[in-house]
Structure formats: structure tokens, C-alpha cells
Amino acid sequence: MEPTLNSEKAFSRGLLDVLIRAGLIAVLVMFCFRIFSPFIDLMLWSVIMAITLYPLQGRLMGIMGHSEGRIATLIVLVSIGILMVPIYLLGTSIADSVASVVTLVKSGSFHISPPADSIADWPLVGKPLHGLWLQAATDLPGLTQKFIPQIKNVSLALLSKLAGVGMGFLIFFCALIIAGIVMAYGEGGSRSAVQIASRISGPVRGPQITELCTATIRAVALGVVGIAFIQMLLIGVGFVLMGIPGAGLLALAVLLIGIMQLPATLVTLPVIVYVFVTQGATTATIVFAIYIFVAGLVDNVLKPLLLGRGVNVPMPVVLIGALGGMVASGIIGLFIGPVMLAVGYQLFWQWVRDQPQGSGPDDQGQT
């Protein structure tokens, strides 16, 4: 009886020790997460860019023969120079649009034409729309005074979105610098990733999982974000050379809808129509239309080359990742979301296919 009692006490003491250790570990993990959580998006995007750009670093090292640190610094500087192009386009577009609105308001020449009488005959919305439009044409200051709260809310929302875009670009630059630091220690980082995956999944599956995650990150980052960025540059340059109003904002819209896997023609076709309506069918407008239309379709050629390298990620996964990432983390989440969801998708199906012998549906049916 006494040995049994001693064994029960030893078991209880051992269980208590395990629970205390588990509790302390949980508290430590939660505390570390709280400290690190503000930097999660920044570090995720840094690692994604480092993994994506590392093959380029290897090629340049073979050609130029410099150390990893110097090549990584060169890649970061060139990337920052390339990123300044869309930022300049966006900044000048916003500045020109604000200046035009201010000039128009100060001149007092802004005028709204009265609505046609046929609008009042439209079902449901005809009469309210006709009355609102007529008041705007005859008494715009009074109408503005009436909707000041709504205008204020919309203006604050737009300013908030613009501030979010600016913060996203700032995070982008910081992430690029951190990615350069990560690439400078690329070999050690690769070994650490394999060690972590091996510790979680075993020495056999660890390297395989690391290779799968790396291939998925590179394929989606190049095939989704990279193609959208190339399209934005091609189309944005055409908009600027043609003098399209709001060229920077339109180029940013091309980038966003490209990441969300929507066709760039949603932006390019209305712009082409606008150019023909305002400037007519001249040689310049015809060349511009052909160039912009082809640039809007370049993703159909690049996607099979970049997105299909070694992984098969369905487009709905990329779309959900882009939308969910943007809702969760703003503009930077638009880039991180598709990549991380694609990695999770690939790991899930790797786990599904990696069933132990004798546990599949066919094996169960044979027993």
C-alpha cells in the first residue's frame, strides 16, 4: 500500500512540475509575442524579399566576385532607386490634383450644368437624383453647407487612406533594408531555417519543407507582386508621357488590382477611351492606345513563366490572400497576404499527401 502511495505522490509532483513549466513557457511566449507583434509585418515582408532576391545575389556574386554584404547593399540601393519611380509618380499626381482643385475653387469658375428633365423619370432614384443635381447647379454653397458632416467624414477617410499608403511605403523601405541585412547572412539563415524545420518535422522532412516554402515564396512573390509591379511601371510611364491626369494614382490602382489578380484593362480601357474622346484619333493617341493595351496584357505572358516554377497555387488562394491581407494589415498586407496564404496552402496539401502507410482511404477499405 505504501509503495502505491509513494508512486502516486511522485506522479502528482511530476505532473505539477510539468504544468508549472508549461505555464511559465506559455507566459514567456505570450510576453515575447506582445513585444514582437508590432514588427511582425515588417519582418515577414523582409524575409519574403530576402528569399526572393537571394538567387539574384548568388548570380551577382558569381559575376562580380564580391562578398555577400556588398552585393546585398548594391541590390538594396538599386531597389530603392527603382521604388522611387512609382513614389514620385504618386506624389506628383496627388500634388497636381490638389493644386488643380484649389485653383479651380479660388477662380470661382467651377460650374455644374443643370440636369436633363428625363433624369427625373428614372425609377426609384430619378427624382432624388434630379433634385440633388439641380440644387448643386443652382445653389452649390448651400448644398455644400448641408452635407458638411458627410464631406468631413469622407475627407478624413481619404486622408487616413493616404496616410496608410505613406506608412506602407515607409515600411516597404525599412523592410528592404532589413532584407539586405538578412541576405548578407544568407548561408547562415538558410542553415538555420533547415535546422528549425528539422526540429519541428524531423530530419527527413525538414529540408523538404524548407525547400517547398522557399519555392512557394519566390514563385508567388515574383509571379504576383513582381508582375503587378512591372505592369505598374510600364503603364505608369505611358500615362505620364501622355499627360494623363492623376497618372500616379492610376498607376497605383494598376498595382493594387494586379496583386488582387484582376485584369489591368479595368484601368487601361477607360483611360484609352478618355484619350480618344479628349484628343481624337491621332498618331500619338493610336500608339498610346496600342502600347497601354499590350502593357495591360503582359501579365498573361509573364505569369506562366514566373508563377508556375515548381509550385501550383490556385488564383483564388492568391486573391483571398491579397484581400484578407489588405483588410488585416493595410497596404503592406496586400503584399504579404498572398505569399503567406500560398505557403500555408502548400504546407497543408503536403501534410494531406504525407499520410502514413496503411492509413489512406484505399488501405482502410482493404482491411
Side-chain angles (χ1 to χ4, degrees):
M1 187 71 179
E2 193 170 321
T4 304
L5 184 60
N6 291 332
S7 62
E8 289 179 356
K9 288 181 179 180
F11 175 77
S12 300
R13 189 179 299 110
L15 180 61
L16 181 61
D17 289 343
V18 170
L19 292 177
I20 291 175
R21 292 173 185 172
L24 291 175
I25 293 173
V27 170
L28 179 61
V29 170
M30 292 173 60
F31 189 73
C32 293
F33 178 78
R34 284 188 60 186
I35 295 174
F36 188 70
S37 58
F39 306 98
I40 288 180
D41 291 342
L42 176 64
M43 295 306 299
L44 279 177
W45 187 232
S46 301
V47 172
I48 289 171
M49 286 195 292
I51 292 174
T52 304
L53 296 174
Y54 192 71
L56 175 62
Q57 176 176 319
R59 293 175 186 174
L60 292 178
M61 285 177 59
I63 296 174
M64 303 175 65
H66 294 296
S67 63
E68 286 188 330
R70 293 182 179 180
I71 298 297
T73 303
L74 177 63
I75 293 175
V76 169
L77 292 177
V78 173
S79 301
I80 290 176
I82 295 174
L83 284 174
M84 292 304 296
V85 175
I87 292 176
Y88 171 77
L89 291 175
L90 180 61
T92 54
S93 176
I94 294 174
D96 292 342
S97 301
V98 172
S100 300
V101 172
V102 171
T103 303
L104 186 61
V105 171
K106 287 184 177 180
S107 65
S109 59
F110 182 71
H111 177 69
I112 298 178
S113 302
D117 295 336
S118 59
I119 294 179
D121 298 330
W122 291 0
L124 299 178
V125 298
K127 290 183 178 180
L129 178 61
H130 184 273
L132 187 65
W133 192 340
L134 184 61
Q135 185 178 1
T138 56
D139 186 20
L140 184 58
L143 181 64
T144 305
Q145 187 71 24
K146 179 180 177 182
F147 290 99
I148 278 182
Q150 290 81 357
I151 295 174
K152 181 180 178 180
N153 293 334
V154 172
S155 301
L156 291 176
L158 289 176
L159 290 175
S160 176
K161 294 297 182 183
L162 290 176
V165 172
M167 183 58 67
F169 278 118
L170 180 61
I171 294 176
F172 207 102
F173 280 118
C174 294
L176 188 57
I177 295 173
I178 296 174
I181 298 173
V182 174
M183 287 190 295
Y185 299 93
E187 290 294 333
S190 178
R191 288 194 299 268
S192 299
V194 173
Q195 289 174 355
I196 294 172
S198 300
R199 184 67 179 86
I200 295 174
S201 303
V204 176
R205 295 181 57 196
Q208 298 175 356
I209 290 177
T210 305
E211 184 178 354
L212 176 65
C213 293
T214 302
T216 304
I217 289 173
R218 287 174 181 165
V220 177
L222 289 174
V224 176
V225 180
I227 291 175
F229 189 79
I230 292 172
Q231 268 193 313
M232 180 196 68
L233 289 180
L234 293 175
I235 295 174
V237 168
F239 287 170
V240 171
L241 294 178
M242 199 63 186
I244 304 297
L249 293 175
L250 292 173
L252 181 62
V254 171
L255 175 64
L256 298 181
I257 67 175
I259 295 176
M260 290 187 290
Q261 299 302 293
L262 299 175
T265 50
L266 294 175
V267 176
T268 58
L269 285 181
V271 173
I272 292 173
V273 172
Y274 167 80
V275 169
F276 276 107
V277 169
T278 56
Q279 302 184 24
T282 63
T283 303
T285 56
I286 293 174
V287 172
F288 169 79
I290 295 174
Y291 169 77
I292 292 298
F293 185 76
V294 172
L297 299 177
V298 72
D299 60 322
N300 296 318
V301 178
L302 295 177
K303 278 179 183 177
L305 299 176
L306 298 178
L307 188 59
R309 290 184 177 180
V311 294
N312 183 20
V313 181
M315 286 301 104
V317 173
V318 177
L319 176 60
I320 294 172
L323 295 177
M326 184 170 61
V327 172
S329 303
I331 188 70
I332 196 69
L334 190 65
F335 301 97
I336 299 174
V339 180
M340 298 309 299
L341 194 62
V343 171
Y345 174 86
Q346 290 291 333
L347 289 177
F348 172 76
W349 280 107
Q350 178 76 12
W351 172 77
V352 170
R353 299 187 189 100
D354 229 2
Q355 296 186 20
Q357 288 291 337
S359 63
D362 295 337
D363 298 325
Q364 292 177 0
Q366 294 173 0
T367 58

